[in-house]
Amino acid sequence: MKHIKYLTFLALSILGIAVLSGKAYAATDDEVTTLYNKGVATQKIDSSQYSLSDFKEFVQEAETNLGVQSGNSKISVESFLELDNYGAMPDGSSPYSKSSTSSNIYRAPMLRASSSRKTTFTNKIQIWRPKDKAMREKVANYADYRFWSSTHSLTKNRHINYQIIQGTSGFNPNYCSRMVWQSFYHGSGNKNVIQTSTAGLTYIFPGALVNTFTSKYRPYKVGTY
């Protein structure tokens, strides 16, 4: 049971990650609108599900929490947006859920809410799953070996330090969406599951994780919760 729950969580779920605080980037309204239109043009943003006003909210959160800090390096908010699917969920929808108690309360799963904004979290998460069951099980088995136990036992003997680092090589330190990507990239054998070009990405952010798969193995959305 431990294996089933852990591996399903690790290999099949796409979860938000917290970015680290850093130097702010103040985008003008015109720049934000240009970025939004670029996200729509590249089909990362579904304008019917992700409004410009929600996008502006996301950019404001990014300005509060970015650049992304990794060692001594930082990336701009614009670069972060491009890497993180413009803040959109993998289906292009808004990353925010309005609270049932207030029209002004949101949840941003890709960013750590700023305490000054007093954001209250509501529940919004999307689950995506590759169609190939055998491949899912193979990758889950690899993830268990690589990130939980080298002997596939119930006792954990892999201890990964959490850090948002650049690049895709190396297993420790690591962060959540990068571990999912690595599991499919390294654990799928000789099958072309992950686009080889994505091995050169600087960061693997959760909103763009689905886009790293080849068309044959691209995950489908199970649902939004």
Side-chain angles (χ1 to χ4, degrees):
M1 182 62 69
K2 183 279 297 185
H3 284 289
I4 293 174
K5 289 183 178 179
Y6 172 78
L7 298 176
T8 300
F9 165 78
L10 177 62
L12 305 180
S13 297
I14 296 178
L15 305 176
I17 62 174
V19 296
L20 305 180
S21 61
K23 187 175 181 180
Y25 168 80
T28 66
D29 284 345
D30 286 345
E31 288 173 331
V32 172
T33 300
T34 296
L35 287 170
Y36 178 80
N37 290 335
K38 184 177 180 180
V40 173
T42 55
Q43 299 183 324
K44 307 299 186 198
I45 293 175
D46 180 348
S47 59
S48 68
Q49 301 186 77
Y50 188 4
S51 66
L52 176 59
S53 62
D54 273 12
F55 181 72
K56 287 181 178 179
E57 179 77 13
F58 186 87
V59 171
Q60 288 175 346
E61 291 290 350
E63 288 172 347
T64 301
N65 291 284
L66 295 183
V68 173
Q69 183 81 44
S70 177
N72 294 319
S73 63
K74 295 179 180 179
I75 63 172
S76 69
V77 169
E78 181 176 358
S79 296
F80 169 75
L81 290 170
E82 292 176 349
L83 285 168
D84 197 31
N85 215 43
Y86 292 87
M89 301 299 280
D91 63 353
S93 64
S94 172
Y96 297 119
S97 289
K98 289 186 178 181
S99 167
S100 60
T101 59
S102 172
S103 61
N104 296 320
I105 302 298
Y106 296 85
R107 175 180 186 262
M110 308 306 178
L111 289 172
R112 176 181 299 163
S114 165
S115 58
S116 63
R117 299 179 71 83
K118 300 185 184 303
T119 303
T120 300
F121 287 172
T122 58
N123 294 324
K124 182 178 181 182
I125 185 172
Q126 286 186 352
I127 303 298
W128 292 69
R129 178 179 297 149
K131 295 179 181 179
D132 189 325
K133 182 180 179 181
M135 180 57 67
R136 295 200 309 263
E137 292 176 348
K138 182 176 182 178
V139 169
N141 187 62
Y142 175 86
D144 181 60
Y145 157 77
R146 175 58 63 187
F147 300 116
W148 183 265
S149 171
S150 60
T151 61
H152 294 288
S153 69
L154 294 176
T155 302
K156 179 181 177 67
N157 67 9
R158 301 282 200 190
H159 302 282
I160 309 300
N161 296 314
Y162 187 85
Q163 184 182 349
I164 300 176
I165 59 174
Q166 291 187 342
T168 58
S169 61
F171 301 107
N172 192 15
N174 221 325
Y175 56 92
C176 53
S177 49
R178 187 172 181 264
M179 287 191 287
V180 176
W181 181 90
Q182 287 178 333
S183 296
F184 280 98
Y185 185 81
H186 296 290
S188 55
N190 60 1
K191 301 295 184 180
N192 190 23
V193 176
I194 297 292
Q195 299 175 49
T196 55
S197 61
T198 63
L201 289 174
T202 306
Y203 298 98
I204 305 292
F205 286 124
L209 186 55
V210 169
N211 300 331
T212 67
F213 285 76
T214 60
S215 58
K216 180 179 179 179
Y217 290 97
R218 182 179 173 85
Y220 67 95
K221 186 173 73 173
V222 176
T224 302
Y225 306 95

